[in-house]
Amino acid sequence: MNELSVVLQSPQALITLGVLLLAVILFISNALVPELTGLLSLALLMATGVLTPQKALAGFGSPALITLMGLFAVSAALFRSGALDRLRELIASERIRTPRRLIALLGLVVAPISGVVPNTPVVASLLPVIEAWCIRRRLSPSRVLLPLSFATVLGGTLTLLGSSVNLLVSDISEQLGYGSLELFSFTAIGVPIWLVGTAYMLLAPKGLLPDRGRDDEQLLGSIDQTGYCTEVTIPSDSNLVGQSLHNSRLQRRFDVDVLELQRGQERFLPPLADRTIEPGDRLLLRVTRTDLLRLQQENTVQLAQRDLKDESQLFKPFASGGQKTVEVLLPAGSTLAGASLRELRFRQRHNATVLALRRGQQTVQERLGQAVLREGDVLLLQAPLDSIRGLQASNNLLVLDQLEDDLPTLRRKPIAIGIALLMLLVPTITPLPLVAAVLLAVIAMVVGGCIRPTEALRSIRLDVILLLGSLSSFSVAIQDTGLADALARILESCLQGLPTYSSLLMVFLATTILTQVISNAASVALFAPVAIQLSSTMNLPPTALLITVLFGASQSFLTPMGYQTNLMVFGPGRYRFFDVTRYGIGLTVLMTFMIPALILWQYGGS
């Protein structure tokens, strides 16, 4: 602690520590979205003179960040051209009949794809395909969706391009003077981790993956049968008028639960079986997607959207002519989370009507306009095709359905795959920098007709760019003010007397635990400069410690929030919080013991 006390006598170190603590609090509390927390930290460090603007903003012009921006466009072109069509067909084929075969396919095929394509779009593309597979096989999606997420996480550490966190580590390494990482710098470690992780998913007992798709021993099926919560009104010509809920076809013919009935200013809660339905009644329903659309088509009920300008009015019917119905997911970091549809003015803002809301295992009891959105929520939307395409370009919503007009152009598929392979091969066998290869690949994709220029621009995730650009500069401040060295000395005293393997294990474990609390990018930015200072004590190159931190932040299998893809499958799989922990803790233990050993094998040490 003496080292830290001496360092904190410097005003700049004291300010940096204060900004660091503020950032951690904001990351944990989610009071601000992560990218705004990063920008706030960056602004404070510049405003207080800890970093010059040139040094603070250097991260936004780094080769790693430019590489990531290009990679977003290349990935979009691959999906747009149908590069994963064969994989989607294979999943739907008769050869994949059991969950174990599907998990093998995810581990052996999907994981390597995630080594060169960001895992978020991979999961988004395959999620509806796997859910349809579950319908045909009459299996619960919870049996296979966590392995989908875990497979992409395992594959994300096969190459430098597999994850934005990998590129952030490369950027931090270069800014701290240790040089950037190469495309295959940690592939020798990533390959054994991928193979062991795949073996774990294949051999893990079936009981670790819960069956969340059954209710009273009846298989509920998939996303169509999970149940949305929505509000409807009863039109005057509905065949429900004059009937009690118990005797009506609403519950005899459809899988519908009535959660609330509102008549004028009166509200009635269950039991509602003997209530007679009257014209203008407003019902809060839990209903499957299929039944919801059938009820609308038969004019049994009216799907409606509240007129947010006039609270006194009943629901305004939303005309379905020329509209498409799609599902969208609120991903981690969505700025829509924490606000209600009314506060967001969702209909006016996106020209789309929210028909229903699904939230994992929970029943949403609030009225639709008043329900506060959360990360992982799935919304059923009705909107014109142009509006849905606008949503596809948004970072706040992830469209889970594929639009007919957006089906890939098959003749462009070989071009897109060839360009992607050259992007990986050329920097490996020539002196051409990786960033140049990625940028040339973007241009080639546009010229080759694999993606339109506007689509390439829309594919860039601004939230990720802002977060990584700001956090990489944060690491420089921790290093320059001496905080990294002081914190490393404290950590070194805690590890004193331990073998190098045990010390690496503790560094890995500390990063893994920190990643469950804050984002993996933030944990890398905060812990990497500290871990590097331990390299001389452990007789290891700084890169060895950086890669330890990288794997600790990337191999996140303990909580839904630990990784974006975990959250993406959490709702559709109807998982509960500790389902992820139960399935992932064995894999985490394996990684904790394996990764330090593999790092010592590659970099030496004892």
Side-chain angles (χ1 to χ4, degrees), residues 28-320:
I28 294 174
S29 66
N30 286 320
L32 287 177
V33 292
E35 61 269 24
L36 289 184
T37 298
L39 291 176
L40 173 63
S41 303
L42 187 62
L44 291 175
L45 292 172
M46 286 191 291
T48 54
V50 174
L51 291 177
T52 64
Q54 290 77 11
K55 210 166 192 177
L57 299 175
F60 288 102
S62 67
L65 207 63
I66 303 300
T67 300
L68 181 61
M69 292 171 66
L71 190 61
F72 281 134
V74 171
S75 301
L78 285 170
F79 286 101
R80 178 79 169 77
S81 64
L84 287 187
D85 279 3
R86 184 61 61 86
L87 176 60
R88 293 162 66 97
E89 291 171 9
L90 182 58
I91 292 174
S93 71
E94 287 301 310
R95 285 180 285 179
I96 309 299
R97 299 181 180 180
T98 65
R100 195 170 297 278
R101 286 190 180 185
L102 181 57
I103 290 172
L105 179 68
L106 296 176
L108 297 175
V109 179
V110 174
I113 292 173
S114 299
V116 294
V117 178
N119 44 26
T120 301
V122 172
V123 172
S125 174
L126 296 182
L127 190 57
V129 180
I130 292 177
E131 287 170 334
W133 180 88
C134 291
I135 295 176
R136 289 192 302 274
R137 304 298 177 192
R138 298 186 60 78
L139 291 168
S140 169
S142 59
R143 291 291 194 188
V144 291
L145 288 187
L146 262 184
L148 167 64
S149 174
F150 284 14
T152 61
V153 172
L154 289 166
T157 48
L158 287 174
T159 76
L160 185 64
L161 301 181
S163 167
S164 59
V165 175
N166 302 349
L167 292 165
L168 175 62
V169 170
S170 177
D171 191 23
I172 291 172
S173 177
E174 186 168 20
Q175 290 200 37
L176 297 183
Y178 301 107
S180 60
L181 301 179
E182 300 297 328
L183 180 60
F184 300 107
S185 288
F186 42 83
T187 302
I189 298 170
V191 168
I193 293 301
W194 158 50
L195 294 175
V196 170
T198 300
Y200 170 87
M201 292 192 295
L202 285 171
L203 300 176
K206 285 178 59 178
L208 292 181
L209 283 170
D211 187 342
R212 297 296 182 206
R214 295 182 180 272
D215 186 13
D216 297 329
E217 301 302 316
Q218 297 298 317
L219 189 64
L220 291 180
S222 74
I223 196 165
D224 275 344
Q225 297 177 309
T226 304
Y228 286 91
C229 290
T230 188
E231 289 178 284
V232 299
T233 55
I234 305 298
S236 58
D237 58 346
S238 171
N239 53 27
L240 299 178
V241 172
Q243 300 186 34
S244 67
L245 285 171
H246 176 70
N247 294 323
S248 73
R249 64 198 294 271
L250 190 65
Q251 292 184 310
R252 282 189 287 107
R253 186 173 163 191
F254 298 100
D255 182 15
V256 173
D257 292 325
V258 181
L259 306 177
E260 180 183 316
L261 184 151
Q262 183 169 346
R263 181 173 297 154
Q265 300 301 316
E266 294 184 278
R267 295 178 62 199
F268 303 97
L269 299 175
L272 299 169
D274 296 328
R275 292 282 176 187
T276 301
I277 301 173
E278 298 180 5
D281 282 352
R282 183 164 61 240
L283 306 179
L284 177 63
L285 304 181
R286 182 169 55 206
V287 58
T288 67
R289 176 181 178 176
T290 302
D291 286 345
L292 179 61
L293 298 179
R294 286 175 60 198
L295 285 167
Q296 179 194 22
Q297 291 168 354
E298 295 178 9
N299 203 37
T300 302
V301 300
Q302 287 181 340
L303 296 173
Q305 172 69 30
R306 174 172 293 279
D307 186 347
L308 302 180
K309 296 180 180 179
D310 188 352
E311 183 70 21
S312 65
Q313 293 186 18
L314 290 177
F315 283 62
K316 290 175 57 179
F318 190 89
S320 59

Side-chain angles (χ1 to χ4, degrees), residues 74 77-83 411-422 441 444-445 448 450-451:
V74 171
L78 285 170
F79 286 101
R80 178 79 169 77
S81 64
R411 61 192 178 88
R412 304 295 182 188
K413 187 194 303 184
I415 298 174
I417 294 175
I419 292 170
L421 290 176
L422 285 174
M445 290 288 192
C450 304
I451 190 171

Side-chain angles (χ1 to χ4, degrees), residues 254-576:
F254 298 100
D255 182 15
V256 173
D257 292 325
V258 181
L259 306 177
E260 180 183 316
L261 184 151
Q262 183 169 346
R263 181 173 297 154
Q265 300 301 316
E266 294 184 278
R267 295 178 62 199
F268 303 97
L269 299 175
L272 299 169
D274 296 328
R275 292 282 176 187
T276 301
I277 301 173
E278 298 180 5
D281 282 352
R282 183 164 61 240
L283 306 179
L284 177 63
L285 304 181
R286 182 169 55 206
V287 58
T288 67
R289 176 181 178 176
T290 302
D291 286 345
L292 179 61
L293 298 179
R294 286 175 60 198
L295 285 167
Q296 179 194 22
Q297 291 168 354
E298 295 178 9
N299 203 37
T300 302
V301 300
Q302 287 181 340
L303 296 173
Q305 172 69 30
R306 174 172 293 279
D307 186 347
L308 302 180
K309 296 180 180 179
D310 188 352
E311 183 70 21
S312 65
Q313 293 186 18
L314 290 177
F315 283 62
K316 290 175 57 179
F318 190 89
S320 59
Q323 309 291 325
K324 284 187 175 290
T325 304
V326 296
E327 291 168 320
V328 298
L329 170 79
L330 261 73
S334 172
T335 59
L336 303 184
S340 67
L341 295 171
R342 177 185 298 109
E343 293 167 339
L344 293 168
R345 297 178 60 82
F346 192 94
R347 179 177 176 131
Q348 292 89 332
R349 183 177 176 183
H350 297 288
N351 192 27
T353 290
V354 178
L355 303 181
L357 167 66
R358 177 160 55 82
R359 181 173 292 157
Q361 287 281 85
Q362 301 180 28
T363 299
V364 182
Q365 295 285 7
E366 302 100 327
R367 292 164 63 185
L368 199 57
Q370 298 172 341
V372 176
L373 300 179
R374 301 179 188 172
E375 294 177 350
D377 282 354
V378 177
L379 303 176
L380 187 65
L381 300 184
Q382 196 174 65
L385 184 59
D386 289 343
S387 297
I388 295 172
R389 286 207 178 99
L391 293 175
Q392 287 179 316
S394 169
N395 296 327
N396 292 316
L397 293 168
L398 185 66
V399 179
L400 298 180
D401 293 305
Q402 187 174 39
L403 304 180
E404 293 176 4
D405 292 349
D406 288 336
L407 292 175
T409 306
L410 297 182
R411 61 192 178 88
R412 304 295 182 188
K413 187 194 303 184
I415 298 174
I417 294 175
I419 292 170
L421 290 176
L422 285 174
M423 180 188 73
L424 297 175
L425 183 63
V426 171
T428 307
I429 61 177
T430 71
L432 186 73
L434 178 61
V435 61
V438 171
L439 293 179
L440 288 172
V442 173
I443 302 302
M445 290 288 192
V446 173
V447 173
C450 304
I451 190 171
R452 291 188 287 267
T454 53
E455 292 175 324
L457 292 175
R458 288 202 305 264
S459 69
I460 297 173
R461 290 281 305 273
L462 184 61
D463 57 332
V464 176
I465 299 302
L466 292 176
L467 178 64
L468 299 188
S470 56
L471 289 182
S472 64
S473 302
F474 209 163
S475 298
V476 176
I478 296 173
Q479 178 84 7
D480 287 356
T481 57
L483 274 176
D485 190 58
L487 292 172
R489 297 287 78 78
I490 295 172
L491 185 59
E492 184 182 339
S493 64
C494 297
L495 301 177
Q496 190 172 12
L498 291 178
T500 304
Y501 171 79
S502 301
S503 298
L504 276 178
L505 187 149
M506 296 303 294
V507 170
F508 175 88
L509 195 58
T511 311
T512 300
I513 294 172
L514 186 61
T515 300
Q516 310 311 312
V517 181
I518 61 177
S519 72
N520 48 11
S523 62
V524 163
L526 300 179
F527 203 63
V530 177
I532 282 177
Q533 302 303 316
L534 299 172
S535 61
S536 58
T537 304
M538 296 185 189
N539 294 319
L540 290 172
T543 303
L545 275 299
L546 270 175
I547 291 178
T548 304
V549 171
L550 182 154
F551 275 88
S554 299
Q555 306 296 319
S556 187
F557 308 109
L558 293 177
T559 67
M561 301 82 65
Y563 208 88
Q564 168 100 332
T565 55
N566 292 351
L567 189 60
M568 288 176 66
V569 303
F570 189 73
R574 306 178 72 220
Y575 293 111
R576 297 172 184 168

Side-chain angles (χ1 to χ4, degrees), residues 573-592:
R574 306 178 72 220
Y575 293 111
R576 297 172 184 168
F577 185 92
F578 287 107
D579 290 342
V580 183
T581 308
R582 182 172 59 249
Y583 186 62
I585 192 165
L587 194 52
T588 302
V589 170
L590 277 174
M591 300 298 105
T592 302

